[in-house]
Amino acid sequence: MGLDTAQSKPHERLNAYLADDMAAVNDLIRARMASEHAPRIPEVTAHLVEAGGKRLRPMLTLAAAHLCGYQGDHHLRLAATVEFIHTATLLHDDVVDESGQRRGRPTANLLWDNKSSVLVGDYLFSRSFQLMVETGSLRVLDILSNASATIAEGEVLQLTAAQDLATDEAIYLQVIRGKTAALFAAACEVGGVIANAPEAQVRALNAYGDALGISFQIVDDLLDYWGTGATGKNIGDDFRERKLTLPVIRAVAAGDATQRAFWQRTIEKGDQRDGDLEQALHLLNTHGALESTRATAIQWADTAKKALQTLPDSELRGMLGDLADYVVARIS
Amino acid sequence: MGLDTAQSKPHERLNAYLADDMAAVNDLIRARMASEHAPRIPEVTAHLVEAGGKRLRPMLTLAAAHLCGYQGDHHLRLAATVEFIHTATLLHDDVVDESGQRRGRPTANLLWDNKSSVLVGDYLFSRSFQLMVETGSLRVLDILSNASATIAEGEVLQLTAAQDLATDEAIYLQVIRGKTAALFAAACEVGGVIANAPEAQVRALNAYGDALGISFQIVDDLLDYWGTGATGKNIGDDFRERKLTLPVIRAVAAGDATQRAFWQRTIEKGDQRDGDLEQALHLLNTHGALESTRATAIQWADTAKKALQTLPDSELRGMLGDLADYVVARIS
């Protein structure tokens, strides 16, 4: 395990600390992506897996397992499992969103076709399923099967709720739990379960992952109106795709009839004209929706850090706490 | 359990014999399709699940469990599991094939959209995963996770192999194992495993399902050039979609240079003109490709029946044998 450099970002420090494990996970991912007869599979997945994502989810699993004193090697399989599930959902998301870009690179559905994205996503799901079965832990399988159902249900919910102004904060929370927090929570929890940690620690790991994931997704949605393009996202993508995210939900709730008509036209009906994005940003600022969304993200990061207190004090725990701070520090 | 009417078709007799179980499986399917927050899910799945398919796969699981003397109720969960996996693959297939019709009805991607088909398919996969975890059998999970990987790999392989004249019978066999036989084999095998049957019986159930599925798919591919439209398939669909199935593989292998050029133009390049389907049928008949494909389907049906000999002699075993005969009797 590597160095802890105080100046670097927490996910980079985690990556350094977990360097040996992460190398083993990367090897496992590459080995299980391979397909003798269908070379399209490694082509498509390599494009995504090698695309330089932060590998947050597998790091969470590895960190949770180490934090609870795990000595075996099943945590490597579980880390690869969560990365495969994540990659599979990205492939399917890009088909659903008809995206052309992810992390500043063309998406697989653009480079190959929607068919490949759908089927290679299915392949990765099935591979993740094989990997977790190999751990022989029914409890792990239970956690990950429930997380999968939450993810899938959240995605369908988003499909119908996104363009509907009746979508409130409770529905938004359910959507982002499905989209992000369910896998963060499961990634952390299975690390504790495989380490045979006490129940209170397992619950704390789930709570940490859940709150971290919620904070992460709120920030992601906020950056769509706040960001600089450095995140690989274009400002206003969600607006153009008519996604009702937290800042907009709050601006809609605080707006008068004229403003409501604006949101109905642009988000519900999708009738968008020049200057609409600027008007949307103006309304978000008028109602303090960006600032209040940022405050909510910080609250969730605090919830995440609080959950860590149940876990053994260690350098690793400190890094997980810093990670929660870092997630919200992306808004600057 | 219901009556055995000698005149009726074997899958109808199986359905009658397993009537109580099938009713319980249908209840379970309906209960697990439900989603409080995402009503799109039961809408889409009901369209497919209630569409009057033969429910062959869940019947195989139930029959295998009973044949091996099973007394519990996990076989119901496993039967619902295999039907969910099947339905999920249909939803994704229709997106991939850009189909407009299945079993004579409009497909879900046409009625709703591709997004719904992709995400509801994912939801059904995750539901099937939850159901199988509930059985608490790691061996069942191992079998079904391997089957899932074979299915997904076969689908990707088909994507690249279908329009390639280099596709030979070995690749075709791998594609149809993924497309059909892997789930038939797993459906049968898990019935034996949950019943704690002796190894030889479990292997026989797998072999029966594998051979039955291969025979079933060969017949399906053959009916595309032989059928009457009563199957809900239009004659020549596979030809128009440029799918290289067994009859064509054999006609290509037996053809001269001129004929090869015809297949290259129509299947590889997709340049199809009026009269091409008639020419394709003429070539298939000239080389006896339809008759020899039929003979191969009958051989696989015989392999399936032979595998049954390892299982306890019973009325149910007789019906499974008749089912293998019936699969090939669809060609008439």
Side-chain angles (χ1 to χ4, degrees):
Chain A
M1 302 206 179
L3 299 172
D4 173 10
T5 317
Q7 300 90 329
S8 54
K9 295 170 181 169
H11 59 87
E12 290 166 356
R13 279 187 287 137
L14 264 171
N15 199 29
Y17 189 90
L18 299 163
D20 292 348
D21 272 8
M22 284 302 288
V25 170
N26 286 336
D27 287 347
L28 195 54
I29 286 173
R30 256 178 241 113
R32 297 305 176 95
M33 277 190 327
S35 168
E36 191 190 340
H37 297 288
R40 175 68 52 86
I41 293 173
E43 276 170 36
V44 174
T45 48
H47 174 74
L48 258 179
V49 172
E50 314 285 346
K54 293 191 196 70
R55 294 264 210 281
L56 269 186
R57 295 157 192 81
M59 279 199 285
L60 290 175
T61 302
L62 300 175
H66 284 294
L67 205 48
C68 299
Y70 184 58
Q71 299 291 332
D73 62 4
H74 282 323
H75 65 317
L76 304 175
R77 288 181 189 89
L78 292 173
T81 293
V82 297
E83 186 69 1
F84 271 174
I85 294 175
H86 174 58
T87 308
T89 59
L90 291 186
L91 281 167
H92 286 186
D93 277 356
D94 285 341
V95 173
V96 169
D97 290 347
E98 294 156 9
S99 319
Q101 235 192 23
R102 177 175 295 280
R103 295 182 196 134
R105 304 176 70 204
T107 54
N109 55 322
L110 205 77
L111 286 181
W112 290 274
D113 46 29
N114 277 342
K115 303 177 185 193
S116 299
S117 292
V118 171
L119 296 181
V120 174
D122 289 349
Y123 181 74
L124 290 181
F125 272 129
S126 67
R127 282 301 201 196
S128 76
F129 181 19
Q130 286 181 310
L131 272 163
M132 60 183 114
V133 169
E134 288 173 25
T135 67
S137 162
L138 279 166
R139 184 156 174 205
V140 155
L141 288 158
D142 189 44
I143 292 164
L144 288 168
S145 69
N146 291 333
S148 297
T150 303
I151 292 167
E153 193 168 13
E155 298 266 14
V156 182
L157 183 61
Q158 176 170 267
L159 205 60
T160 48
Q163 296 167 6
D164 181 356
L165 289 195
T167 297
D168 60 15
E169 296 201 13
I171 296 176
Y172 172 76
L173 197 62
Q174 202 194 341
V175 168
I176 67 172
R177 277 211 157 96
K179 202 179 165 107
T180 308
L183 192 56
F184 273 55
C188 293
E189 189 177 0
V190 296
V193 166
I194 206 71
N196 217 2
E199 274 314 296
Q201 292 186 15
V202 171
R203 275 197 303 275
L205 284 166
N206 177 296
Y208 168 78
D210 179 61
L212 184 75
I214 291 172
S215 180
F216 184 90
Q217 190 57 50
I218 291 176
V219 169
D220 219 51
D221 291 343
L222 181 55
L223 285 175
D224 202 70
Y225 293 101
W226 187 304
T228 57
T231 50
K233 260 186 128 172
N234 301 314
I235 296 284
D237 271 353
D238 287 348
F239 180 74
R240 276 181 291 270
E241 289 167 20
R242 305 157 58 197
K243 283 187 187 164
L244 209 63
T245 57
L246 191 55
V248 176
I249 288 170
R250 288 188 175 168
V252 170
D256 60 18
T258 315
Q259 293 174 10
R260 196 177 167 78
F262 169 79
W263 295 114
Q264 274 169 334
R265 174 172 64 77
T266 53
I267 301 283
E268 283 199 341
K269 295 190 189 138
D271 170 14
Q272 297 190 5
R273 305 164 195 170
D274 277 354
D276 278 347
L277 176 60
E278 291 69 21
Q279 172 66 2
L281 285 165
H282 171 69
L283 293 179
L284 293 174
N285 280 309
T286 300
H287 296 294
L290 298 181
E291 271 307 331
S292 87
T293 297
R294 179 168 181 262
T296 302
I298 291 171
Q299 276 170 15
W300 281 107
D302 287 341
T303 302
K305 284 191 289 181
K306 220 164 159 183
L308 289 176
Q309 290 169 9
T310 308
L311 293 157
D313 190 10
S314 68
E315 193 180 354
L316 210 39
R317 193 183 79 167
M319 286 187 226
L320 291 179
D322 293 346
L323 184 63
D325 284 330
Y326 177 69
V327 160
V328 286
R330 289 192 299 158
I331 328 163
S332 56
Chain B
M1 302 202 179
L3 300 170
D4 173 10
T5 316
Q7 299 91 329
S8 56
K9 294 168 181 170
H11 59 88
E12 291 166 356
R13 278 187 287 136
L14 264 171
N15 199 30
Y17 189 90
L18 300 163
D20 292 348
D21 272 7
M22 284 302 286
V25 170
N26 285 336
D27 287 346
L28 194 55
I29 285 174
R30 257 178 240 113
R32 298 304 178 94
M33 277 189 330
S35 166
E36 192 190 340
H37 298 288
R40 176 67 52 86
I41 293 172
E43 277 169 35
V44 173
T45 47
H47 174 75
L48 257 181
V49 172
E50 314 285 346
K54 292 190 199 70
R55 293 267 210 279
L56 268 186
R57 295 156 191 82
M59 280 200 285
L60 290 175
T61 302
L62 300 175
H66 284 294
L67 205 49
C68 299
Y70 184 58
Q71 298 290 333
D73 63 4
H74 282 324
H75 66 318
L76 304 175
R77 286 180 190 90
L78 293 173
T81 293
V82 297
E83 187 67 1
F84 272 173
I85 294 175
H86 174 57
T87 308
T89 59
L90 290 187
L91 281 166
H92 286 186
D93 277 355
D94 286 341
V95 173
V96 169
D97 289 347
E98 294 157 11
S99 320
Q101 234 191 24
R102 176 173 296 279
R103 295 180 195 137
R105 303 177 70 205
T107 54
N109 55 321
L110 204 76
L111 285 181
W112 289 273
D113 47 29
N114 277 344
K115 302 176 185 194
S116 299
S117 292
V118 171
L119 296 181
V120 174
D122 288 348
Y123 181 74
L124 291 181
F125 273 129
S126 67
R127 283 302 202 195
S128 77
F129 180 19
Q130 285 181 311
L131 273 163
M132 60 183 113
V133 169
E134 288 172 24
T135 68
S137 162
L138 280 165
R139 183 155 174 206
V140 155
L141 288 158
D142 188 46
I143 291 163
L144 289 167
S145 69
N146 291 333
S148 297
T150 304
I151 292 168
E153 192 168 14
E155 299 266 14
V156 182
L157 182 62
Q158 176 170 265
L159 206 60
T160 46
Q163 297 167 6
D164 181 355
L165 289 195
T167 297
D168 59 17
E169 296 200 13
I171 296 177
Y172 171 76
L173 197 62
Q174 202 196 339
V175 167
I176 67 172
R177 277 210 157 97
K179 201 180 168 107
T180 308
L183 192 55
F184 272 55
C188 294
E189 189 177 0
V190 295
V193 166
I194 206 70
N196 216 2
E199 274 315 295
Q201 292 186 13
V202 170
R203 274 198 303 276
L205 284 165
N206 177 296
Y208 168 78
D210 179 61
L212 184 75
I214 291 172
S215 179
F216 185 91
Q217 190 58 49
I218 291 176
V219 169
D220 219 51
D221 290 344
L222 181 55
L223 284 175
D224 203 71
Y225 293 101
W226 187 303
T228 58
T231 50
K233 261 185 128 170
N234 301 314
I235 295 284
D237 271 353
D238 287 347
F239 180 73
R240 276 182 291 270
E241 289 167 21
R242 305 157 59 194
K243 284 187 186 164
L244 209 63
T245 57
L246 190 55
V248 176
I249 289 170
R250 288 187 174 168
V252 170
D256 61 18
T258 315
Q259 294 174 10
R260 194 176 169 80
F262 168 79
W263 295 115
Q264 273 168 336
R265 174 172 62 79
T266 53
I267 301 283
E268 282 199 342
K269 295 189 191 140
D271 170 14
Q272 296 190 5
R273 305 163 194 170
D274 278 354
D276 278 348
L277 177 58
E278 291 70 21
Q279 172 65 4
L281 285 165
H282 171 70
L283 293 179
L284 292 174
N285 280 308
T286 301
H287 295 295
L290 299 181
E291 271 308 329
S292 87
T293 298
R294 180 167 180 262
T296 302
I298 291 171
Q299 277 170 14
W300 280 106
D302 287 341
T303 302
K305 286 190 288 180
K306 220 164 160 183
L308 290 176
Q309 290 169 9
T310 308
L311 294 156
D313 191 7
S314 70
E315 192 181 354
L316 210 40
R317 192 183 79 167
M319 286 187 228
L320 292 179
D322 293 346
L323 185 63
D325 284 330
Y326 177 70
V327 160
V328 286
R330 291 191 298 158
I331 328 161
S332 55

